[in-house]
């Protein structure tokens, strides 16, 4: 296809009737296959108190790194509001000590949002613009925090992740602390130099992740860092996000020009009908997140009932921007997304009820994309597992 790298974002989803333990085993299995098939990176997401097993993301990164040999492994992204800078750098430094040169430290603002919701209340929904199609890419109206359901569970979870009385520090400051700890220049506000052991001078690539044209995109550009834009989370803001990063970019010692990764949700099968059947319960999963309950166990599409009209409206932007179909269909849509955004790399996430179906989705796409190693081995037979 386009010749640009393809990577994977995994959440270790727990399927209905299965267990978190099995979800972690499935993640390790997918990572080993991804390495064989030629994917560039294997990213792991951080979510807490929901039915995904990647909550201890950095621990899982260490397990994936140990189970593979060459594929890069990273966080997509560490929620900085839940971690101190030193804890993040020392943890990544520990993994890098045994797997040097393979880690991508992705940072995100997610852990900072709870405090804003708690103190100010969720902002009201913005006026809705119609869904557009730009050069073959669907751009729906932006989803706003004001559209979320009951935030009680979200706020309770964020409170549980912090020590009593603790509060996250300002995001830009914390990114600066992490950079200083990595390069050995960290000094406390009282003027004391501290050195992360391990962590200092570790061979780790620093990334920022974002879903809007706000602080993360602009900061990544200003610091000359690579940036990952989340089309799969916030498809309605992708163009503003990409523009903010590019417009603010300043060349750095690491990057002479912007390096942009764009994400997409995909389900691939041998034919479109099968792919749509496998993706039929995706809307239920997204609804569980946006309703305020948190990501539920992923339902079997064979037994999941239809969404109500109100439920469908809450998740429609994610449904119309999920890439579902045969390999050539999905690859063509990913190519359109790459061309519209100018992405240097595409990262895909593929969630299905059956692990074998998820393996098959990644395997078929890798082969269609022309990744090295994608033609080795047999295609996994579609079927829930």
């Amino acid at each position: 296809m386009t010749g640009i790298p393809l990577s994977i974002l995994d959440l270790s989803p727990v399927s209905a009737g299965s267990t978190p333990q099995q979800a972690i085993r499935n993640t390790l299995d997918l990572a080993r296959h991804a390495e064989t098939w030629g994917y560039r990176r294997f990213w792991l997401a951080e979510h807490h108190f929901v039915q995904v097993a990647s909550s201890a993301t950095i621990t899982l990164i260490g397990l994936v790194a140990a189970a593979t040999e060459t594929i890069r492994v990273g966080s997509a992204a560490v929620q900085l509001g839940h971690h101190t800078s030193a804890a993040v750098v020392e943890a990544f430094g520990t993994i890098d000590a045994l797997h040097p040169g393979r880690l991508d430290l992705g940072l995100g603002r997610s852990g900072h949002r709870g405090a804003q919701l708690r103190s100010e209340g969720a902002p009201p929904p913005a006026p809705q613009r119609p869904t557009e199609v730009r050069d073959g890419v669907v751009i729906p109206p932006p989803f706003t925090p004001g559209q979320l359901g009951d935030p009680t569970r979200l706020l309770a979870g964020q409170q549980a992740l912090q020590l009593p009385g603790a509060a996250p520090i300002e995001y830009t400051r914390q990114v600066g602390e992490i950079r200083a700890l990595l390069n050995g220049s960290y000094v406390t506000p009282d003027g004391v130099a501290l050195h992360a052991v391990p962590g200092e001078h570790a061979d780790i690539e620093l990334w920022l992740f974002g879903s809007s044209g706000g602080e993360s995109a602009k900061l990544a550009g200003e610091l000359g860092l690579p940036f990952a834009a989340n089309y799969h989370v916030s498809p309605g803001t992708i163009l503003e996000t990409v523009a903010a990063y590019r417009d603010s970019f300043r060349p750095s010692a690491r990057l002479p020009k912007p390096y942009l990764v764009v994400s997409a949700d995909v389900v691939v099968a041998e034919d479109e009908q099968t792919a749509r059947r496998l993706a039929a319960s995706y809307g239920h999963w997204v609804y569980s997140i946006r309703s305020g309950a948190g990501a539920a166990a992923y339902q079997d599409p064979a037994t999941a009932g239809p969404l109500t009209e109100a439920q469908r409206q809450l998740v429609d932007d994610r449904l119309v921007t999920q890439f579902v179909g045969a390999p050539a269909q999905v690859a063509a849509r990913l190519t359109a997304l790459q061309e519209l955004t100018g992405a240097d790399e595409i990262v895909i996430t593929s969630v299905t009820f059956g692990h074998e179906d998820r393996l098959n989705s990644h395997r078929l796409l890798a082969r269609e994309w022309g990744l090295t190693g994608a033609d080795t081995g047999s295609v996994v037979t579609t079927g829930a597992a």
Side-chain angles (χ1 to χ4, degrees), residues 38-228:
Y39 284 92
R40 170 69 63 85
R41 310 173 204 274
F42 195 86
W43 297 99
L44 290 153
E46 178 181 349
H47 297 278
H48 299 277
F49 305 115
V50 292
Q51 292 302 304
V52 297
S54 58
S55 54
T57 314
I58 302 176
T59 300
L60 191 52
I61 287 170
L63 295 173
V64 170
T68 54
E69 296 181 1
T70 58
I71 194 170
R72 297 191 66 86
V73 189
S75 54
V78 171
Q79 296 180 3
L80 286 188
H82 304 150
H83 308 270
T84 66
S85 304
V88 172
V89 172
E90 289 172 347
F92 268 81
T94 300
I95 301 171
D96 177 75
L98 296 182
H99 308 284
R102 291 178 56 201
L103 299 186
D104 295 314
L105 172 50
L107 305 177
R109 295 181 63 248
S110 298
H112 293 78
R113 292 177 182 153
Q116 181 180 4
L117 287 172
R118 189 182 300 111
S119 61
E120 303 172 7
Q128 293 292 288
R129 57 167 170 74
T131 295
E132 303 176 60
V133 178
R134 304 255 191 113
D135 299 331
V137 178
V138 179
I139 309 294
F143 185 88
T144 66
Q147 295 172 260
L148 288 171
D150 184 359
T152 302
R153 184 181 178 88
L154 171 65
L155 296 176
Q158 292 182 343
Q159 184 177 16
L161 291 166
Q162 296 176 352
L163 292 172
I169 66 174
E170 193 267 335
Y171 175 73
T172 298
R173 173 186 163 190
Q174 192 165 10
V175 172
E177 287 184 353
I178 289 173
R179 296 180 75 216
L181 285 164
L182 287 170
N183 65 32
S185 65
Y186 180 76
V187 179
T188 70
D190 296 327
V192 179
L194 296 177
H195 301 276
V197 181
E200 184 170 304
H201 301 308
D203 189 6
I204 295 169
E205 289 195 6
L206 191 63
W207 292 69
L208 298 189
F209 279 67
S211 301
S212 73
E215 186 176 11
S216 295
K218 293 175 182 176
L219 184 61
E222 291 167 359
L223 297 178
L225 294 174
F227 180 69

Side-chain angles (χ1 to χ4, degrees), residues 10-15 18-32 42 44-45 47 50-65 67-68 355 358-359:
D10 187 42
L11 286 74
S12 293
V14 180
S15 293
S18 188
T19 65
Q21 293 80 3
Q22 186 59 51
I24 290 173
R25 295 187 189 100
N26 291 345
T27 285
L28 297 181
D29 187 47
L30 175 59
R32 295 187 191 101
F42 195 86
L44 290 153
H47 297 278
V50 292
Q51 292 302 304
V52 297
S54 58
S55 54
T57 314
I58 302 176
T59 300
L60 191 52
I61 287 170
L63 295 173
V64 170
T68 54
H355 177 56
R358 192 159 62 118
L359 287 178

